[in-house]
Amino acid sequence: MKQRKHPRVPASLPCTIRDAAGAESPFELVDLSEAGARIRCPSALNAMTEIQVAILLPATRVGGPEDVRLDTRGVVVWSHEVGDHFDTGVFFPELDPATQAALQAYVASAAV
């Protein structure tokens, strides 16, 4: 089994995605890494679909005085049916340094 470059940690946070047509939908965030996320969706998303992802990272997990809003482009990598929903892997190809640092802090806080 191939080991991931960035470890994933459980994350149950509010997550919203916006598709190319501008339609916004709330989704359940399952886990998060420094490079992407797994979200739970009611239907499959096609691989290579570009979406806009918004996640609010809590200040207590990123070591800051206030919550950090991650609002970035995501690319669907895979989508697998799991019972009555689809688990979907999303890659974040463009993270600014501040957002990258917040994600690193979030992932590191899970190891504590």
Side-chain angles (χ1 to χ4, degrees), residues 10 17 46 56-57 73 76 80-81 91 99 110:
I17 67 169
N46 293 327
L56 193 61
L57 302 173
R73 184 172 69 96
V76 174
H80 303 296
E81 188 171 9
F91 172 66
T99 303

Side-chain angles (χ1 to χ4, degrees), residues 12-77:
S12 181
L13 301 169
C15 175
T16 302
I17 67 169
R18 186 171 54 247
D19 64 21
E24 287 192 8
S25 302
F27 286 93
E28 180 183 348
L29 184 66
V30 178
D31 60 35
L32 192 59
S33 79
E34 293 177 34
R38 178 167 47 126
I39 59 175
R40 189 153 289 149
C41 306
S43 58
L45 297 176
N46 293 327
M48 303 310 293
T49 299
E50 289 191 18
I51 56 176
Q52 194 68 23
V53 180
I55 302 168
L56 193 61
L57 302 173
T60 56
R61 294 285 301 270
V62 296
E66 57 188 44
D67 295 346
V68 173
R69 182 175 170 87
L70 180 148
D71 195 349
T72 190
R73 184 172 69 96
V75 178
V76 174
V77 180

